[in-house]
Amino acid sequence: MIKVRNLVKRYGTKTAVDQLDLEVHQGEIFGLLGPNGAGKTTTIRMLTTLCKPDQGSIVLAGLDLKTERASVRHLIGVVPQERNLDLELTVLENLKVYAGLYHLKDPKQRIDDCLEQFGLAQERKTKADKLSGGMQRRLLIARALLSCPRILFLDEPTIGLDPQIRRGIWDSLATLRAEGMTVVLTTHYMDEAAMLCNRIGLMSRGRLLMIDTPDNLQIAAGSFMVEAPDNNGFRRTLCRDQEQAEAVAAALPGALIRPANLEDAFIALTGQEL
C-alpha cells in the first residue's frame, strides 16, 4: 500500500528525513517510533501531501504522490497530533463540513455510522470545545474515517489521554485493521506500539534504523534486563536469556531481573531514549 524510496526532507541546513526507504503492507498497522526530532512527523506530513519532499518518491495504493496528489488525498485519512477541530461547531457540524469537502453521496448515513462507532452519538449537538480531550480525539478519528479511506495516518493518536480512553481507541484501531484498513501511526508509548503494531520502524536523527515486529525487535536487543544500584542511580544491562541475566545479577549487589520491554530494546538499538 505504501512504497517510499530515498525520501529526503531538509529545513535549511538540517536534514529532518534522510534517505528513508519504507514499505507498508495492506491491512497492517505500522508504527514509527523515535524521540522528538527523529523525523516521524515530517515523514507523516510528506506521506499525507502536507509538505513536499526534497528528494525521493512516494507511491500510495499505486498512485504516485508527485503526479497524482489530488487522487492520493481522496484515499487517505489523517489524524494530526494537534486537535484542529472547529471548536465553535458541534460534533455533528464538524463532520458535516468534512463530509462536504469529500462530496459524500450519503453523508447522513456515513456520519451516523461514525458517531456510533466512536461513541459520539449522544454528543452530536455538543460544541467541540465542550468535549473532553478523549472525546475530541475520538472526533478527530471519526472525521478522518468519514470518506472510508484506504490508508489511515495517525500522529500520536492517544497523546495526553488517560489509560481507559487510550484502550478504547486501541480497540477501534484493532477493529479497523481486522476490516483490512492500512494504518500508519507515530507514538511515544511503548505499550501502544507493542499492542497494536504488526511491524515497527525505529527512527533516529532522520534515519530509519530498523524495521521488524515488536517481538523480533525485543529479541534482537535482549529478553531480560538486569538493574542494579550504583553511584549514578541504576546500572542496567540487557541480557539475551535468563541464564545470562542470572550470571550478571550474581556479580552485582542488589540486582533485580525483569523481562525487558520495547523501550529497553529501543534504547539498546538506537542509543537514545524516547
Side-chain angles (χ1 to χ4, degrees):
M1 286 298 283
I2 301 173
K3 292 184 179 181
V4 175
R5 292 290 180 268
N6 197 32
L7 199 62
V8 175
K9 182 63 181 178
R10 302 182 185 92
Y11 295 102
T13 59
K14 180 183 177 182
T15 301
V17 176
D18 190 2
Q19 298 180 328
L20 185 144
D21 290 330
L22 174 65
E23 290 190 5
V24 178
H25 309 310
Q26 182 175 353
E28 76 169 333
I29 297 181
F30 185 90
L32 280 174
L33 271 65
N36 291 333
K40 307 184 303 299
T41 294
T42 300
T43 298
I44 294 292
R45 287 178 59 81
M46 286 189 286
L47 293 177
T48 56
T49 78
L50 294 177
C51 70
K52 293 183 178 180
D54 295 312
Q55 181 180 314
S57 64
I58 301 171
V59 177
L60 301 180
L63 299 176
D64 188 327
L65 190 147
K66 187 177 295 184
T67 58
E68 300 173 279
R69 183 174 293 262
S71 297
V72 166
R73 286 175 175 163
H74 280 276
L75 65 84
I76 63 174
V78 183
V79 180
Q81 190 174 136
E82 66 276 9
R83 296 172 187 170
N84 62 347
L85 300 166
D86 192 322
L87 298 178
E88 292 301 311
L89 298 183
T90 66
V91 168
L92 181 60
E93 289 166 342
N94 266 278
L95 295 182
K96 281 184 175 180
V97 168
Y98 213 70
L101 294 174
Y102 277 87
H103 307 291
L104 299 186
K105 293 181 180 179
D106 188 4
K108 183 179 184 305
Q109 184 60 55
R110 184 61 190 148
I111 287 171
D112 286 344
D113 290 345
C114 287
L115 288 172
E116 288 292 338
Q117 182 178 1
F118 288 93
L120 293 165
Q122 302 301 315
E123 306 293 340
R124 65 175 64 226
K125 295 183 179 180
T126 303
K127 283 191 174 183
D129 67 346
K130 301 300 182 184
L131 297 175
S132 66
M135 285 290 188
Q136 288 185 357
R137 187 63 64 180
R138 289 188 201 177
L139 179 55
L140 285 169
I141 299 175
R143 187 186 69 178
L145 292 172
L146 271 180
S147 62
C148 299
R150 297 180 65 186
I151 308 171
L152 178 64
F153 293 92
L154 305 105
D155 193 5
E156 300 284 354
T158 63
I159 190 168
L161 301 183
D162 66 54
Q164 184 176 358
I165 295 174
R166 287 175 61 210
R167 290 278 179 174
I169 291 176
W170 293 358
D171 290 343
S172 297
L173 295 178
T175 298
L176 294 174
R177 175 177 56 192
E179 294 172 350
M181 185 174 290
T182 303
V183 178
V184 178
L185 65 86
T186 72
T187 182
H188 280 95
Y189 297 124
M190 293 298 96
D191 55 345
E192 183 163 273
M195 178 71 68
L196 290 176
C197 296
N198 299 90
R199 294 185 302 143
I200 291 171
L202 302 183
M203 287 196 74
S204 178
R205 299 182 179 92
R207 286 185 171 271
L208 192 57
L209 303 181
M210 184 179 294
I211 298 175
D212 215 325
T213 66
D215 287 345
N216 285 346
L217 290 173
Q218 186 71 73
I219 292 169
S223 298
F224 290 89
M225 175 66 78
V226 178
E227 296 180 320
D230 68 9
N231 294 333
N232 296 318
F234 276 91
R235 171 182 173 180
R236 295 177 173 87
T237 306
L238 266 174
C239 300
R240 63 180 179 273
D241 53 36
Q242 188 163 358
E243 182 179 356
Q244 183 187 31
E246 290 173 351
V248 170
L252 298 172
L256 297 174
I257 299 173
R258 63 168 174 82
N261 57 40
L262 197 54
E263 186 161 7
D264 297 326
F266 183 89
I267 294 170
L269 295 169
T270 69
Q272 289 185 283
E273 292 192 12
L274 286 163

